[in-house]
Amino acid sequence: MQKTLKTLEESCNYYKNLYNTSPIGYVSLDSNGLIREINQTGAKLLGVEQNKLTNTSFLDFVTAETSDIFLNHLKQCEHSIEQVISEIIISAKGHHRTTLQLISVKNKDENGCTIYRTAIVNTSGGLQQSISGRNKPFVDYENATTEALAKENKRLREELSGHLRAEEDLRKLSRAIEQSPCTVVITNSKGVIEYVNPKFTQLTGYAPEEVVGKNPNILKPDNIPAEEFDHLWKTITSGKEWQGKFRNKKKNGDLYWEYAYISPVKNQSDRITHFIAVKEDITKRLKAEEELSKFSRAIEQSPVTTIITNSRGIIEYVNPRFTESSGYTAKEVIGKNPRVLKPENISSEEFAELWKTLLSGKELNGEFCCKKKNGEMYWENVYLSPIRNHEGKITHFIVVKEDITERKLMEEERIRHIKELEDLMSFSTIINEEDVQEEALFKHLVSALQKNFAPDIAAAIMLDKEKKPHPQNLWVSIGSGKLPRV
């Protein structure tokens, strides 16, 4: 019996050590966000001793601005059979603010109650897990005595009770790894696979029996040079953690990207016995980052001005075209209210009404006359639109502006020409009238000259067929006076 209990104790310590020394934080939460269990890595992220976190609220560590995200995360877990991923900010005890990614799956505990098995990953600076000291035996054995049988029986009962608790802990820790939303691979000290969790099979398509006993290169990473693999192996065999991303190939040939945390597992003699790899599929995230980068480059290189403000109208971003158009550098306007760029052709009241309309969720478009930093005036066609998050809440505003100064000048020139043509047509109409009188003709002509050019003196003279003037047909207008013949 002692031998069996000894084996159970060693197994418990082995899995407990794997669980606690994992570079990923693990926590089990109930539907109210209370911590039911947490490993050492998770406790370290929260800045509190592991044994003091049970039945405390995880929400106590979440910052106010992301508390709604955390509560919504719990709601999504309640109604989803798939993993739920969210990103929050915590304020750990004695630590600075830290950004965490939560990856949760819904499950049942030993009592049949709903529980959310959650991986917590530090995405603000990466995980840095170091384990110091050596594991102590789960139960301290007392020396048997022959003098007090009752005392020995009591000790044995307590020992058996401790091992039963250890067995339950072992099952609990085993379930946490089995139900982890991240891929978990355990190899021996030579790198031969001994264990893969169900998430590994779900992601890669390989069943456990197809990979156990083989080297992880069965996944055939095709983009990592041999020297990089050598660096990975040297790092973990020296007792250090390695982390990085690489592309692997599924059983069906599909390529996917993973971010892996690989750590050595040591026994009580501080000798490396195994390696544990916790890997996250980041294929979708990399694709999203690539799309974001593409859109970012498009805005940076756009031929139109782009301005982004927060929900209070404070400028957070301007693209290079903004500086080219306005003369203001990004440093001069970021952090300021757009009033610094208020158009010249609207009043302060109208400008305030404009932002009130935007805050109501409506889009706006209009042509505005603006002033550059050097005082030069120019025209812009402006589109203003609110940006909403996944909950429909306005988080930012985007302003896209096109310089239409040249177009406006051309339009003014076109209007002037149209007016001139209208005047000529009007003059032609009068000339073509058979009963037009000389005085009416010259009045109309001088009136057109005054209207278009506003001269102080306007004069008109009639020429005969030989293009000689007739002094008696000279008409003169001074200011807005009458048109006498001289």
Side-chain angles (χ1 to χ4, degrees):
M1 180 178 177
Q2 280 283 65
K3 186 176 180 180
T4 302
L5 291 176
K6 179 75 172 174
T7 301
L8 179 60
E9 177 186 335
E10 291 175 350
S11 298
C12 180
N13 284 335
Y14 168 70
Y15 280 101
K16 190 171 184 179
N17 194 34
L18 286 180
Y19 180 75
N20 277 317
T21 60
S22 168
I24 296 291
Y26 288 104
V27 61
S28 294
L29 304 171
D30 67 12
S31 57
N32 296 316
L34 292 180
I35 298 172
R36 294 308 183 194
E37 64 181 28
I38 189 168
N39 71 346
Q40 289 179 0
T41 305
K44 185 176 180 181
L45 286 171
L46 298 183
V48 179
E49 293 179 16
Q50 186 180 12
N51 59 359
K52 294 181 180 179
L53 285 169
T54 303
N55 293 326
T56 61
S57 176
F58 194 92
L59 188 60
D60 292 343
F61 300 92
V62 180
T63 59
E65 65 264 34
T66 59
S67 59
D68 288 342
I69 296 176
F70 175 70
L71 294 175
N72 186 55
H73 181 87
L74 295 179
K75 289 181 181 178
Q76 291 183 57
C77 290
E78 182 181 358
H79 301 291
S80 175
I81 59 174
E82 301 292 336
Q83 68 179 25
V84 178
I85 302 176
S86 300
E87 196 165 81
I88 62 169
I89 300 174
I90 66 166
S91 181
K93 304 290 185 182
H95 291 69
H96 297 296
R97 288 157 56 96
T98 305
T99 302
L100 296 182
Q101 184 180 71
L102 307 181
I103 309 172
S104 302
V105 289
K106 183 179 178 181
N107 204 256
K108 299 286 185 181
D109 63 12
E110 58 273 14
N111 298 319
C113 300
T114 299
I115 198 165
Y116 308 132
R117 308 287 185 186
T118 303
I120 52 177
V121 182
N122 182 348
T123 57
S124 60
L127 294 180
Q128 297 182 354
Q129 172 73 20
S130 62
I131 304 299
S132 61
R134 301 184 180 184
N135 291 329
K136 296 181 179 179
F138 190 81
V139 177
D140 289 328
Y141 289 89
E142 299 176 359
N143 294 322
T145 65
T146 57
E147 299 177 355
L149 182 60
K151 183 177 179 180
E152 176 65 10
N153 287 337
K154 180 182 179 182
R155 185 190 68 78
L156 289 174
R157 285 196 300 271
E158 290 175 350
E159 185 176 320
L160 179 60
S161 176
H163 282 294
L164 289 175
R165 288 195 301 271
E167 184 179 4
E168 177 57 30
D169 285 343
L170 175 60
R171 284 197 295 266
K172 189 187 300 181
L173 299 175
S174 176
R175 285 196 300 269
I177 295 176
E178 285 284 305
Q179 299 167 17
S180 170
C182 296
T183 295
V184 178
V185 178
I186 300 174
T187 74
N188 63 17
S189 59
K190 296 180 180 179
V192 177
I193 297 174
E194 292 188 353
Y195 168 83
V196 293
N197 71 339
K199 183 64 179 180
F200 173 91
T201 299
Q202 179 186 338
L203 177 62
T204 67
Y206 286 102
E209 58 269 20
E210 294 178 289
V211 294
V212 170
K214 297 182 180 180
N215 192 284
N217 63 15
I218 189 175
L219 299 177
K220 299 175 184 152
D222 61 350
N223 68 322
I224 304 181
E227 54 270 20
E228 193 166 336
F229 269 118
D230 291 341
H231 173 69
L232 183 159
W233 186 248
K234 287 178 181 178
T235 299
I236 60 177
T237 53
S238 69
K240 299 177 182 178
E241 176 194 312
W242 181 92
Q243 58 178 282
K245 65 181 179 181
F246 47 79
R247 187 166 63 174
N248 278 341
K249 186 181 291 185
K250 299 181 181 181
K251 184 178 180 181
N252 64 6
D254 289 348
L255 297 175
Y256 68 102
W257 283 90
E258 283 187 313
Y259 197 92
Y261 304 84
I262 306 176
S263 295
V265 179
K266 300 179 181 180
N267 62 14
Q268 294 179 1
S269 301
D270 205 33
R271 183 174 64 87
I272 296 174
T273 59
H274 295 81
F275 297 103
I276 181 170
V278 180
K279 302 185 290 182
E280 177 190 2
D281 182 1
I282 59 171
T283 308
K284 290 182 179 179
R285 191 178 81 190
L286 287 181
K287 186 176 181 181
E289 288 176 357
E290 184 180 343
E291 288 293 311
L292 180 61
S293 177
K294 180 172 66 178
F295 291 131
S296 177
R297 290 194 303 270
I299 292 175
E300 285 285 313
Q301 301 169 18
S302 173
V304 296
T305 295
T306 303
I307 301 173
I308 298 176
T309 78
N310 63 17
S311 59
R312 292 176 287 117
I314 304 301
I315 297 173
E316 292 187 349
Y317 169 84
V318 293
N319 70 342
R321 181 63 180 170
F322 168 86
T323 299
E324 294 175 19
S325 297
S326 69
Y328 289 98
T329 65
K331 187 176 181 180
E332 290 176 302
V333 296
I334 288 178
K336 296 183 179 180
N337 191 287
R339 288 184 182 277
V340 70
L341 306 172
K342 185 180 78 65
E344 295 292 313
N345 61 330
I346 64 173
S347 66
S348 297
E349 292 75 16
E350 290 172 322
F351 192 72
E353 188 64 27
L354 179 151
W355 278 102
K356 183 178 179 182
T357 302
L358 277 178
L359 288 169
S360 70
K362 298 179 181 178
E363 297 183 353
L364 288 174
N365 171 234
E367 295 181 355
F368 300 103
C369 181
C370 302
K371 183 187 290 186
K372 297 184 179 182
K373 184 180 178 181
N374 63 7
E376 181 183 343
M377 308 300 295
Y378 68 108
W379 281 88
E380 289 183 313
N381 190 14
V382 182
Y383 298 86
L384 304 98
S385 179
I387 299 174
R388 302 175 185 272
N389 60 15
H390 64 281
E391 296 176 344
K393 181 181 178 181
I394 295 175
T395 60
H396 294 81
F397 296 101
I398 183 168
V399 184
V400 179
K401 307 195 292 182
E402 177 188 7
D403 189 335
I404 59 170
T405 306
E406 186 175 346
R407 193 186 80 189
K408 291 289 286 186
L409 292 175
M410 292 177 63
E411 185 177 344
E412 291 174 0
E413 184 70 11
R414 183 179 64 82
I415 293 173
R416 187 176 67 80
H417 285 313
I418 291 175
K419 187 68 178 79
E420 290 176 354
L421 287 173
E422 289 177 348
D423 289 340
L424 286 174
M425 291 178 64
S426 175
F427 184 66
S428 176
T429 300
I430 292 177
I431 291 177
N432 289 329
E433 292 179 2
E434 294 182 357
D435 59 346
V436 63
Q437 299 297 316
E438 290 181 0
E439 184 174 351
L441 175 63
F442 278 94
K443 278 184 177 181
H444 185 79
L445 176 59
V446 174
S447 175
L449 290 172
Q450 288 177 326
K451 186 173 183 181
N452 286 286
F453 303 102
D456 294 330
I457 300 175
I461 187 170
M462 182 181 290
L463 304 179
D464 60 17
K465 291 181 179 181
E466 296 178 356
K467 299 184 179 179
K468 294 180 179 180
H470 288 267
Q472 67 273 24
N473 288 326
L474 176 62
W475 302 79
V476 178
S477 173
I478 300 175
S480 58
K482 295 182 178 180
L483 187 70
R485 177 185 291 183
V486 296

